[in-house]
Amino acid sequence: MDFVQPILFHNVSLIRSIRVARMAALRDMPASPHLSGGFGFVYLLDFAACVPKIGPWQEYKEGVRQYGD
């Protein structure tokens, strides 16, 4: 694998997803969460603040666009 993608809503809790991401970081792998929009973006911010190696890939339901830059 190149990165892990925990599903924030299906891993029972945000804490469990953070644990998955921290285990991946021990193997030098980034984590990019999978979510389904809406309030999930708030969870994404919490997740990104707690994960040591967040990946550069993010998923948006509005289609493919470049963000930033």
Side-chain angles (χ1 to χ4, degrees):
M1 287 191 291
D2 295 325
F3 67 98
V4 297
Q5 192 174 29
I7 302 173
L8 295 182
F9 295 132
H10 292 133
N11 280 346
V12 179
S13 72
L14 183 62
I15 299 296
R16 197 171 278 180
S17 294
I18 290 170
R19 287 180 184 161
V20 169
R22 288 181 176 171
M23 285 188 283
L26 292 174
R27 296 289 186 179
D28 200 33
M29 290 187 333
S32 293
H34 183 277
L35 55 99
S36 59
F39 200 67
F41 291 115
V42 175
Y43 292 136
L44 171 64
L45 294 174
D46 289 336
F47 179 83
C50 299
V51 171
K53 188 169 180 150
I54 191 79
W57 312 280
Q58 300 302 321
E59 181 177 350
Y60 297 96
K61 280 206 158 221
E62 296 178 7
V64 177
R65 284 196 270 166
Q66 182 172 352
Y67 290 83
D69 297 324

